[in-house]
Amino acid sequence: MALSDSPAAVRVTELCKITPPDSPTDSSLPLTFFDIYWLKFHPLELIFFYQLTTDSDSFSSDILPKLKQSLSLTLHHFIPFAGNLIWPSHSDKPFLLYSPGDGVSLTVAESDADFHTLAGDSIREIPDSHNYVPELNVSETEAATMSFQITLFPNQGYCIGISSHHGIFDGKSIIMFIKAWAHICKNDNGSSALPPDLTPVIDRTLIQDHQGLESLYLNRWTSVASLPEAKFLIKEDGLGFVAEELTRLIKGLEKNKGGLDEARKTSEAFRKMDPTTTEVIGVAGSPRFGVYDIDFGWEKPIKVEVTSIDRSTSISMAEIRDGNGGVELGVVLKKDEMVIFDSLFLNGLKHL
């Protein structure tokens, strides 16, 4: 068990903006009702830990420049996601706007922490992870879409931390972006071409809102001052309710009997849930995302962590890294609860 007394020193060595190449004109993209639902939720935060297979000098001269260049080339495919989320007074809903010169924030840092402890499975305190995730710039007038932090642990390893706006990226889409970035970086042959499965489709006419879900969600966010703080607890039949509703929704989609109508009913049911008596635990990630296959050209990650679950009433889920078909879970608990969890559950697994 690794519960540190104080967080390790992290030194910022560079702050820069990565811009896409050859994007001379403005570009905008409206949000859909799928996006608007998550508009005021906290950012998605992930950390990818990679073993350092060379020395620190080679990291600075080879790995870091390639990561920067390939990130720029990747943004070229994701315009206007390289811009900002805005909601001007003349618009009835927020939208993405890219203008020439826009880009994403990149922080480069070094840490004297024990890399293998951070990338291991032992329990530790939340601030130990927050050091390696960048802040996402948000103001009253605009919000960044995503930001990145690359941290070197000299002669040990490095990690790539990502923060992304939840109203713009869900778990699947941000993983798609990272996979596209890794593909371009690994295939360093002067081409920024992407395979079809990593090429974004941003044609919003493909999404039709016949049930008025966009208005429903917009009214929800304009009628409340802020998002209520989530609690890590299930009361009454909260989990059963969610499972039942999701099952009903999926069956409706399979039978092609009005999936969006079912989505509206599910949304209304969630809104009617009493927050004083019913609370829900969500799941961040999926074993199908394939996060442990994301190779930038040097090694696959030895650990992937969803750090934002400490603020989201969620657990994280991914495929197990050894490729044996299992599931990897991440959970955040209070310190005393985690000690009990470790002794009753984690130690029990070690003896199986």
Side-chain angles (χ1 to χ4, degrees):
M1 186 172 73
L3 297 176
S4 59
D5 295 327
S6 60
V10 177
R11 300 171 295 281
V12 174
T13 59
E14 182 182 1
L15 289 171
C16 61
K17 181 170 68 173
I18 305 297
T19 59
D22 304 324
S23 300
T25 60
D26 289 357
S27 178
S28 64
L29 189 70
L31 300 188
T32 71
F33 62 88
F34 290 113
D35 309 314
I36 291 170
Y37 180 86
W38 302 99
L39 188 61
K40 293 189 178 182
F41 279 69
H42 59 84
L44 287 168
E45 298 173 350
L46 303 99
I47 307 176
F48 292 77
F49 292 91
Y50 291 88
Q51 187 78 43
L52 192 61
T53 57
T54 183
D55 57 35
S56 298
D57 290 338
S58 296
F59 172 85
S60 300
S61 62
D62 181 33
I63 296 178
L64 183 58
K66 286 184 178 179
L67 288 172
K68 289 181 179 180
Q69 181 187 29
S70 55
L71 178 56
S72 173
L73 294 173
T74 306
L75 290 173
H76 176 75
H77 295 277
F78 284 81
I79 292 174
F81 296 94
N84 293 285
L85 177 65
I86 64 172
W87 194 346
S89 58
H90 61 77
S91 176
D92 60 350
K93 65 177 181 178
F95 60 93
L96 283 170
L97 176 64
Y98 170 82
S99 298
D102 284 346
V104 298
S105 170
L106 171 64
T107 301
V108 181
E110 288 189 7
S111 174
D112 60 5
D114 187 325
F115 172 80
H116 296 286
T117 297
L118 288 171
D121 292 327
S122 58
I123 64 175
R124 48 193 168 78
E125 294 184 350
I126 290 171
D128 293 344
S129 294
H130 287 178
N131 288 327
Y132 309 103
V133 178
E135 290 188 6
L136 194 68
N137 291 329
V138 177
S139 70
E140 293 295 328
T141 58
E142 65 181 36
T145 61
M146 51 186 162
S147 60
F148 301 87
Q149 179 174 323
I150 302 172
T151 305
L152 171 66
F153 303 78
N155 301 316
Q156 300 182 77
Y158 62 96
C159 67
I160 301 175
I162 300 105
S163 293
S164 60
H165 197 293
H166 211 330
I168 300 167
F169 293 98
D170 60 8
K172 184 176 182 179
S173 57
I174 192 60
I175 293 300
M176 176 184 176
F177 179 90
I178 299 166
K179 285 184 174 182
W181 178 16
H183 175 85
I184 292 175
C185 187
K186 185 175 183 178
N187 296 276
D188 184 20
N189 54 11
S191 172
S192 63
L194 290 174
D197 62 316
L198 296 180
T199 302
V201 177
I202 60 174
D203 182 1
R204 294 311 201 220
T205 64
L206 298 174
I207 302 174
Q208 301 294 318
D209 181 15
H210 299 297
Q211 303 298 325
L213 292 174
E214 179 178 289
S215 297
L216 177 69
Y217 297 152
L218 284 172
N219 290 337
R220 173 186 180 184
W221 293 130
T222 55
S223 64
V224 295
S226 61
L227 186 69
E229 182 181 357
K231 306 293 184 183
F232 202 87
L233 180 66
I234 295 181
K235 297 181 181 178
E236 294 187 350
D237 60 346
L239 185 59
F241 169 81
V242 174
E244 180 182 347
E245 289 297 307
L246 289 178
T247 300
R248 189 164 60 86
L249 175 58
I250 292 169
K251 287 181 177 179
L253 291 172
E254 290 176 345
K255 296 176 181 179
N256 196 24
K257 295 182 178 180
L260 293 184
D261 182 57
E262 291 297 310
R264 182 186 179 92
K265 292 178 182 177
T266 301
S267 175
E268 291 175 346
F270 276 126
R271 290 194 305 123
K272 293 176 181 178
M273 292 173 67
D274 184 352
T276 64
T277 59
T278 307
E279 298 170 83
V280 178
I281 290 180
V283 177
S286 167
R288 296 187 178 185
F289 287 173
V291 294
Y292 282 104
D293 291 329
I294 299 179
D295 182 357
F296 285 86
W298 298 280
E299 289 281 346
K300 292 182 179 181
I302 63 173
K303 175 72 174 293
V304 180
E305 181 176 303
V306 182
T307 63
S308 48
I309 61 172
D310 70 300
R311 298 194 302 277
S312 64
T313 324
S314 299
I315 61 173
S316 65
M317 182 178 293
E319 78 280 10
I320 199 165
R321 73 197 74 173
D322 60 14
N324 290 332
V327 176
E328 182 176 292
L329 298 176
V331 62
V332 176
L333 298 170
K334 294 179 181 179
K335 187 173 181 178
D336 56 340
E337 295 171 344
M338 184 60 80
V339 171
I340 297 173
F341 180 77
D342 179 64
S343 63
L344 295 181
F345 181 71
L346 298 182
N347 285 333
L349 287 180
K350 297 173 185 176
H351 298 294
L352 291 179

